[in-house]
Structures are given as C-alpha cells and as structure tokens.
Amino acid sequence: VQLQASGGGLVQPGGSLRLSCTASGFTLDYYMIGWFRQAPGKEREGVLCISTSGLRIYYADSVKGRFTASRDKDKTTVYLQMNSLKPGDTAVYYCARGDVCSGGVSSYDIWGQGTQVTVSS
C-alpha cells in the first residue's frame, strides 16, 4: 500500500506545474487525497484536499485561485495543478490518503515520498 508523488521541478515565477499522485495496493477513489507541502525549516502544511468524488476541493487560503486538484477518469491518479507560482510555493510536495479532508497531518495514514517544487528565476 503506497502513494507516489511525481512531477516536481524548477519553474519560473508565474509559471505552472502539475503534480501527480498515484496509488498502489488500494483503490484511490475510496479515499480523500490531501496535498501538503513542507519548506525548509517549516512545518508541513496542508495545501488542499479533494473528496472521493472529486466534486469538492478544500483549499488553503494561500493557494486559492491558483491551485486546484482533479481525479483522472481511470481513478488511478490525482493531480495537483499549480498556476501563478510564486517563490513562496517552493517546497517538497506530498500527497496523502485520508478518510476525511483535514488540514492536519494526523488525519492521513499513507503518504507519498514527496516531490520537490522550486519556483525561481
């Protein structure tokens, strides 16, 4: 049972990036999927969470209007679409599995390994 986050990289301010979260060993659409990030020296913070249906997304204030999430039709991947990226978005991004959408890390039991996103000119 595991999650794998991928798609990180270096992007210029104002640019876009799409991260992917794939699951193995369990059915992805049975669970809420949260995206978190952790910058050096800071605590891990919630970015957003997408419901099992994909119809509800809960956003952190810092990413509203810029980030969104979706589930693919094959139900194997959850995406984090990041637009209008800022240097402050630089962090390692993680996806995680939960039974509820929450901004707290303790609500999630399975975590991906993280993917680095760097926003810099």
Side-chain angles (χ1 to χ4, degrees):
V1 175
Q2 61 180 0
L3 288 168
Q4 182 170 357
S6 62
L10 173 64
V11 62
Q12 292 187 341
S16 298
L17 207 58
R18 188 177 78 163
L19 306 184
S20 300
C21 178
T22 57
S24 60
F26 69 96
T27 303
L28 194 63
D29 60 334
Y30 288 176
Y31 296 90
M32 312 290 191
I33 298 297
W35 283 95
F36 289 75
R37 65 187 181 186
Q38 188 166 18
K42 296 187 177 181
E43 292 187 355
R44 192 168 297 187
E45 64 171 355
V47 174
L48 59 76
C49 179
I50 184 169
S51 67
T52 53
S53 66
L55 296 178
R56 290 196 173 188
I57 303 172
Y58 305 90
Y59 299 92
D61 289 342
S62 59
V63 304
K64 281 181 181 177
R66 302 188 299 123
F67 290 14
T68 192
S70 61
R71 292 179 180 265
D72 76 340
K73 294 181 180 180
D74 293 334
K75 303 178 180 180
T76 60
T77 306
V78 169
Y79 299 103
L80 174 64
Q81 179 66 44
M82 305 184 293
N83 300 323
S84 302
L85 283 161
K86 306 174 181 179
D89 295 318
T90 295
V92 177
Y93 283 71
Y94 301 87
C95 59
R97 182 186 85 168
D99 291 319
V100 297
C101 270
S102 167
V105 298
S106 62
S107 297
Y108 300 84
D109 62 345
I110 303 295
W111 291 78
Q113 84 287 4
T115 185
Q116 176 70 46
V117 173
T118 302
V119 184
S120 175
S121 56

